[in-house]
């Protein structure tokens, strides 16, 4: 894979892993910043460190930019939501108390200061509909991921024959209660933006389910991905470093290029076959002129791969054509 594309993709993978770790440890929710901006920014860094100072084709660089630029731009729209606080509309109220925290309203929460819950301990809540009696109404609860609200529960309500305007509850163990409702709370940790609606009431708030360091399988996978992506990003950077010049006609090659680097881009790869079809450069310096005869054609191939009669290089002005003759089936030249 071309290095700018490799650097961009591994940078995205590293950023995504970091975003998941931040979310799982309760630092920040999985919003546009952690799921798009951080990966996009690290992808851009990966492109830069694997392309600056290099020459050669631009296809891989263009593809990498096409992938990274929209991701970064979308993530940047989340910067305006950094200080966002919770909301509760429709004249409704809600307050909650956990074993480690309490709030009087979702408005008291924010991305950086969520309502904290110990999932292995208790939680209680009280809510009102502002005096309005709801009957046969739909309701829904959702969680936001990367700016998209994903429904996790909801249905049509039952009849409210008693005309209740209040709702309350008290559970001794949040994890057990969640699992009784079909939610995988044992592996659900970190900070989330949680919202929903019920008749005229709607709103959202920020909640953290406390977690130990790399307690969940998700965080462990993210850590492994981060290490792998960092190693591969460093590897792509090292492979992309431009080669220093070598003496003309020296043992490493001709015209200051490594033997086999026919297109002069600092890499020896499939693109180096292109000058051998006779459509290579025709004016000095001829990076593909491996046999020193003043042109770039198929005769340069044997010398490029090291089959130059055992000398490794030829004196200027006296190219050795013996390998080319052997390649074409012609008689070997006599000295």
């Amino acid at each position: 894979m071309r290095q700018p594309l490799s650097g961009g993709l591994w940078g995205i993978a590293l950023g995504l892993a970091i975003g998941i770790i931040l979310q799982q440890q309760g630092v920040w929710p999985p919003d546009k910043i952690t799921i798009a901006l951080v990966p996009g920014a690290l992808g851009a860094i990966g492109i830069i460190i694997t392309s600056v100072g290099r020459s050669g084709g631009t296809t891989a660089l263009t593809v990498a930019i096409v992938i990274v630029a929209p991701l970064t731009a979308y993530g940047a729209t989340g910067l305006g939501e950094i200080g966002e606080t919770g909301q509760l509309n429709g004249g409704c109220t809600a307050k909650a108390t956990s074993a480690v925290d309490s709030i009087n309203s979702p408005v008291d929460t924010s991305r950086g200061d969520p309502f904290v819950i110990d999932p292995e301990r208790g939680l209680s809540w009280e809510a009102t509909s502002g005096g309005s009696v709801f009957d046969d109404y739909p309701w829904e609860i959702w969680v936001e991921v990367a700016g998209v609200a994903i429904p996790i529960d909801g249905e049509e309500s039952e009849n409210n024959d008693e005309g209740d305007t209040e709702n309350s509850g008290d559970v001794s163990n949040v994890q057990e209660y969640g699992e009784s409702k079909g939610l995988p709370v044992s592996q659900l940790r970190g900070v989330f933006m949680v919202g929903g609606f019920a008749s005229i009431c709607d709103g959202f708030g920020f909640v953290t389910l406390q977690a130990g360091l790399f307690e969940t399988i998700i965080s462990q996978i993210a850590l492994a991905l981060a290490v792998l992506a960092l190693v591969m990003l460093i590897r792509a950077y090292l492979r992309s470093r431009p080669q220093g010049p070598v003496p003309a006609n020296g043992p490493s090659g001709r015209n200051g290029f490594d033997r086999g680097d026919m297109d002069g881009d600092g890499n020896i790869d499939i693109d180096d076959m292109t000058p051998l079809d006779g459509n290579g450069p025709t004016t000095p310096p001829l990076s593909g002129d491996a046999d020193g005869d003043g042109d770039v054609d198929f005769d340069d191939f044997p010398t490029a791969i090291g089959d130059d009669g055992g000398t490794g290089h030829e004196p200027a002005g006296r190219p050795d054509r013996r390998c080319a003759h052997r390649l074409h089936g012609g008689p070997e030249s006599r000295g």
Side-chain angles (χ1 to χ4, degrees), residues 24 49 120 125 144-145 162 172-173 175 178 187 198 220 232 272 299 323 331:
Q24 288 285 295
I49 65 175
E120 298 181 353
W125 68 90
E144 183 188 272
V145 177
E162 298 179 1
S172 59
N173 187 294
Q175 181 167 302
Q187 288 296 315
Q220 293 165 8
M232 295 303 293
D272 295 305
D299 291 341
C323 297

Side-chain angles (χ1 to χ4, degrees), residues 115-127:
F115 174 51
V116 182
I117 298 174
D118 183 341
E120 298 181 353
R121 299 171 68 183
L123 172 69
S124 61
W125 68 90
E126 297 179 8

